Amino acid sequence: VRSVRIEAALTFVDYRDLLPLEDARAFTSAAEEYREAMLEGAFMPDGAINLAGFESRLGNEADAARRYEHAIRIGDGVAEVQYAYGLYKVRSGDAAGAMPHLRRATELGPDTPWFFYVYGVALNSTGASDEAIRVLGDARKRFPEDFDVAWALVTMVRDAGDRAETERLLAELQAQFPGNPQLAALAESLR
């Protein structure tokens, strides 16, 4: 069944080099079927992004780049496309080129905390820690129940050397997420 073969291609793409020879041949055939299925929908942004991600996971970086650029052309106003392209740029070593796309994802997807988390972490990794703390602080207010955003914020504040704010945030988070081992470890490291 074609849908099963396509799903198998997605499932085994990261393990294809570990497959026995006969299964590797089957994977190659299933991967081609996946490409064909995604090409049928490549005029839609999510189809283009899926195909780009698949090519990237296969190590076909030239094809992946071409597919991501196509997705951006047809899906410039789609948060998931901006996010996926920004993430691709980061993984390709172009963090500076990723920032506008990750920021745009937060603008287009203001209800998705993960976009803010990734954007903040990416900013911090490029040395823009003050901006990262601002982005994550705003996201913390917007998404008070999101642990990933809160955790990134408190660790960045700690790394920036603001002990008083770190302790304040940590106490707030420990009350909100009692028994969390990451918070307990952070509290212990501050002692």
Side-chain angles (χ1 to χ4, degrees), residues 86-157:
L87 205 55
Y88 169 73
K89 295 286 249 180
V90 166
R91 290 176 178 157
S92 298
D94 184 10
M99 291 306 130
H101 299 286
L102 295 174
R103 182 186 67 248
R104 183 89 169 112
T106 67
E107 295 164 357
L108 294 169
D111 296 328
T112 307
W114 188 252
F115 294 160
F116 291 87
Y117 168 81
V118 170
Y119 181 45
V121 169
L123 283 167
N124 192 57
S125 72
T126 64
S129 59
D130 290 343
E131 179 67 8
I133 290 170
R134 187 195 63 73
V135 165
L136 291 170
D138 291 347
R140 171 83 175 128
K141 291 174 191 163
R142 179 179 271 165
F143 311 107
E145 298 302 315
D146 190 278
F147 181 78
D148 292 327
V149 167
W151 176 250
L153 176 62
V154 73
T155 57
M156 285 180 201
V157 169

